[in-house]
Amino acid sequence: MYNPDIHNRRSMRLKGYDYSKAGAYLVTVVTQERLTLFGDVLKGRMQLNPAGEMVHRMWMEMPNRFPPIVMDTIVVMPNHVHGIIILADAGLAGTPTSSECSDIKIKTRAPTRGARTEDGRTRLGNVVGVFKSLTTLEYTRGVRDMNWPPFKRRLWQRNFYEHIVRTDASLEKYRRYIVDNPVQWPFDRENPKALSPRSHSP
């Protein structure tokens, strides 16, 4: 569903903001040319195909590469993903602190090149970049081995959209926005067959 606060095409990054700063971020990534590759919405519910299931799995596995982060609420739509990424010490109700994150049982791997700042903090942009790279690799294998629909040049649009979650109320609002996304698909700005894009404020 379209939201002018979230789908801001002119300013994807907040100038001067430190995106390695602990906090919660609403992130949206969209397929190149808005190709609907990940399934269909039926009766207000998202039905993932194997490619969509792969995208969901890759999203949830990102803490394996970037401890400590938490992948909060997520929805994989036919041609985009909305999800909340929490970097440690968000300070919001219901989100983990760095000490709590350290207790999460996850398999750690070698740090991804360029993933962290000089003081060891994880960058939001690198989390999203690695997610896009891994899903592109797996999707390419699916095209080759399982006859998934091909894509042109790249799977995802070059950039991504984000919104800084600053308060508990905003966190709950964006969680609800994500959960309700399939119901609003007929009017979603990203839907190539949208009836009439609706401005909806979560």
Side-chain angles (χ1 to χ4, degrees):
M1 86 191 102
Y2 173 62
N3 180 293
D5 292 330
I6 296 167
H7 296 91
N8 185 340
R9 301 302 196 243
R10 288 177 293 181
S11 180
M12 298 178 191
R13 304 284 86 75
L14 184 62
K15 186 175 181 180
Y17 189 82
D18 177 7
Y19 283 96
S20 67
K21 183 177 180 180
Y25 303 86
L26 173 64
V27 170
T28 300
V29 290
V30 183
T31 60
Q32 185 73 8
E33 299 183 356
R34 297 180 183 172
L35 295 178
T36 52
L37 302 174
F38 306 138
D40 297 299
V41 176
L42 302 175
K43 298 182 179 180
R45 295 176 64 89
M46 183 61 199
Q47 305 294 320
L48 296 176
N49 60 20
E53 291 172 354
M54 176 276 294
V55 168
H56 186 276
R57 184 181 73 255
M58 288 291 183
W59 181 272
M60 298 307 297
E61 289 179 354
M62 292 310 295
N64 294 348
R65 293 177 174 270
F66 295 95
I69 65 169
V70 172
M71 309 309 274
D72 196 89
T73 312
I74 175 185
V75 63
V76 178
M77 295 295 290
N79 61 3
H80 64 281
V81 177
H82 290 305
I84 296 173
I85 298 175
I86 299 172
L87 307 186
D89 294 315
L92 298 169
T95 65
T97 64
S98 59
S99 59
E100 290 169 331
C101 284
S102 66
D103 293 331
I104 297 173
K105 305 303 180 185
I106 54 179
K107 297 178 182 178
T108 59
R109 303 180 184 177
T112 304
R113 182 179 299 177
R116 298 177 181 275
T117 59
E118 290 182 358
D119 60 4
R121 292 183 296 172
T122 298
R123 296 185 181 96
L124 178 67
N126 284 97
V127 175
V128 178
V130 170
F131 166 75
K132 290 165 71 174
S133 295
L134 292 174
T135 50
T136 297
L137 178 62
E138 288 300 310
Y139 194 95
T140 300
R141 290 172 177 164
V143 173
R144 182 191 64 199
D145 300 335
M146 292 173 280
N147 295 316
W148 291 0
F151 58 89
K152 299 178 182 179
R153 293 182 298 163
R154 60 175 62 93
L155 178 62
W156 302 103
Q157 291 181 8
R158 187 179 299 276
N159 217 317
F160 68 96
Y161 313 111
E162 55 72 31
H163 204 78
I164 303 166
V165 183
R166 299 182 183 277
T167 66
D168 295 337
S170 293
L171 181 62
E172 290 306 314
K173 177 175 66 174
Y174 294 134
R175 283 171 172 163
R176 176 53 52 187
Y177 170 83
I178 291 170
V179 170
D180 289 344
N181 218 243
V183 175
Q184 297 296 327
W185 177 243
F187 309 99
D188 197 312
R189 176 173 178 170
E190 307 299 349
N191 185 350
K193 300 178 180 178
L195 300 177
S196 177
R198 178 184 298 168
S199 177
H200 180 274
S201 183

